[in-house]
Amino acid sequence: MDCDKCDREAVMHAAYSGLHLCEDHFVSSVDKRVRRRVREDNLVPSDATPDDPETWVVGLSGGKDSVVLTDILHRTFEQDPRIELVALTVHEGIEGYRDESVAACEELTRDLDIHHEVVSYDEEFGVRMDDVVEDDPENMAACAYCGVFRRDVLSRYADELGADKLLTGHNLDDEAQTAVMNFLEGDVAQIAKHFDASLGGFDERETVGSSSAAEAADELPTREAQEHFIPRAKPLRDVPEKEVALYAHLRDLPAHITECPHSSEAYRGEIQELLYELEENHPGTRHSIMSGYEELAALAAQEFGAREEGRADLRECERCGASTTRDLCRKCSLLDALHAA
């Protein structure tokens, strides 16, 4: 089958759009979607200058998503003095698996000449995920522990590195799964938090066809600023997972494409399979889910989000000083349980 844009052989068919694309046009389409998301969410503020640049810390795990995101952002902003990229890798202490992915991160950042920091659970908390899985004092899935520790490390080190934003490689499938899970759980507060934490655009978002700033604000709600946290963004969230994997392959990027041996999010796995089937039978389902979900999340954020009422409940953890709604943050509580096991 020929590419719909030229006469070269197509390497992929996007059922949701009907397009057949050759390698060059496919790579270009992914680049354009990521760059469009950067523009539409106004990740580069108008007051960023070469003398006062934005620092973006990218959570680089070595997997396909974060590797592709880092590669695209580097090529997009390599010659733009307003943006400084820093890669941050977390070593969870998973023998073999994470060692190989860290090696992929080091190869990529060396090739791109990007500043790269590696931190580990062992150094930060005195625990390794291999041991956490074995002890499991809270009788939880490994991902539940790891998610808490990872968020803490990323947030703290992004702050130490002077980050204006923390960027992660969540793709369209990831976000559609989260949207469906939040909706099925009836968690309106979590939906609102999702918007303010990583889906909503920043002030001065780019608009097309707006006749006034007021119209633009009505059409494109922005997230509420959260002074306690480094704002996050997900520029890859318009690109399906399989396209991210194909992109990494075609560009020969050093991605470590292997499932974590401790991955055990059973519920998310069920949602993933459901969305695979829906997408197969009804192409475009994931895009439709996210389009509607983001609108609903914006409304939820206006009513129930991390606004003044939500901020009033935040305090500092008695042990580490992290923002929390309880005396001890979740990270410190889990570490107490693990060290007592």
Side-chain angles (χ1 to χ4, degrees):
M1 182 70 69
D2 288 340
C3 173
D4 291 329
K5 304 287 186 179
C6 66
D7 58 0
R8 284 175 290 183
E9 182 179 359
V11 298
M12 65 85 65
H13 172 236
Y16 58 85
S17 67
L19 286 175
H20 295 82
L21 297 175
C22 67
E23 178 175 340
D24 288 347
H25 282 106
F26 166 70
V27 168
S28 176
S29 78
V30 174
D31 289 344
K32 287 178 180 177
R33 277 174 278 173
V34 173
R35 291 165 182 167
R36 182 180 63 215
R37 175 54 60 192
V38 168
R39 291 195 307 272
E40 290 182 350
D41 284 353
N42 193 46
L43 297 193
V44 183
S46 59
D47 59 357
T49 66
D51 293 329
D52 185 21
E54 280 259 305
T55 297
W56 291 356
V57 171
V58 183
L60 179 61
S61 69
K64 63 186 186 307
D65 302 305
S66 63
V67 164
V68 166
L69 176 61
T70 302
D71 177 69
I72 295 174
L73 290 176
H74 170 74
R75 286 185 290 103
T76 301
F77 294 103
E78 183 179 12
Q79 303 300 321
D80 190 334
R82 298 174 303 164
I83 302 297
E84 293 183 356
L85 289 182
V86 178
L88 176 58
T89 299
V90 179
H91 195 309
E92 303 92 341
I94 304 172
E95 187 174 355
Y97 168 77
R98 186 51 76 200
D99 296 324
E100 292 183 27
S101 61
V102 169
C105 295
E106 291 172 341
E107 179 182 348
L108 179 72
T109 53
R110 184 171 57 251
D111 290 345
L112 301 182
D113 193 23
I114 293 176
H115 178 66
H116 182 215
E117 293 279 344
V118 181
V119 295
S120 72
Y121 289 175
D122 195 9
E123 293 174 345
E124 294 298 311
F125 310 127
V127 300
R128 296 170 54 85
M129 277 308 300
D130 285 341
D131 299 327
V132 170
V133 171
E134 184 176 342
D135 296 335
D136 189 16
E138 298 291 294
N139 193 29
M140 301 192 308
C143 297
Y145 292 99
C146 195
V148 172
F149 297 150
R150 173 178 289 276
R151 281 191 295 274
D152 177 82
V153 170
L154 286 176
S155 295
R156 282 193 295 110
Y157 272 84
D159 188 44
E160 289 186 19
L161 291 165
D164 293 288
K165 295 180 179 69
L166 174 59
L167 277 55
T168 59
H170 291 80
N171 59 51
L172 175 62
D173 294 63
D174 296 327
E175 293 302 288
Q177 290 161 23
T178 298
V180 171
M181 289 167 66
N182 286 343
F183 183 76
L184 292 180
E185 291 170 358
D187 196 340
V188 178
Q190 184 60 35
I191 292 172
K193 183 179 178 182
H194 192 189
F195 180 85
D196 275 337
S198 60
L199 292 183
F202 294 85
D203 288 340
E204 304 172 352
R205 291 175 70 180
E206 176 177 297
T207 60
V208 178
S210 293
S211 59
S212 69
E215 284 183 23
D218 289 338
E219 291 172 12
L220 298 172
T222 57
R223 68 174 72 186
E224 182 79 358
Q226 301 184 59
E227 62 187 46
H228 301 282
F229 306 100
I230 302 294
R232 298 193 177 204
K234 301 169 180 175
L236 202 63
R237 74 175 193 263
D238 298 317
V239 185
E241 181 176 21
K242 289 184 178 179
E243 293 185 27
V244 176
L246 178 59
Y247 186 101
H249 171 72
L250 292 175
R251 283 193 46 77
D252 195 27
L253 298 176
H256 181 232
I257 306 178
T258 304
E259 189 76 14
C260 172
H262 300 316
S263 179
S264 57
E265 292 186 278
Y267 184 45
R268 180 176 287 272
E270 290 182 42
I271 299 300
Q272 181 184 54
E273 291 302 318
L274 172 64
L275 289 180
Y276 280 158
E277 184 175 349
L278 286 171
E279 186 70 29
E280 182 72 22
N281 296 329
H282 309 282
T285 294
R286 293 164 301 185
H287 292 85
S288 297
I289 287 172
M290 286 311 300
S291 177
Y293 177 80
E294 289 188 29
E295 289 190 36
L296 291 172
L299 295 174
Q302 290 173 358
E303 291 293 327
F304 307 106
R307 314 281 158 154
E308 295 302 327
E309 184 176 338
R311 288 199 193 103
D313 295 330
L314 285 176
R315 67 188 80 168
E316 288 189 357
C317 171
E318 293 178 350
R319 182 167 304 157
C320 72
S323 297
T324 182
T325 57
R326 54 185 111 184
D327 293 336
L328 278 185
C329 68
R330 182 60 170 154
K331 174 205 67 183
C332 288
S333 296
L334 288 178
L335 288 175
D336 281 350
L338 287 165
H339 291 315

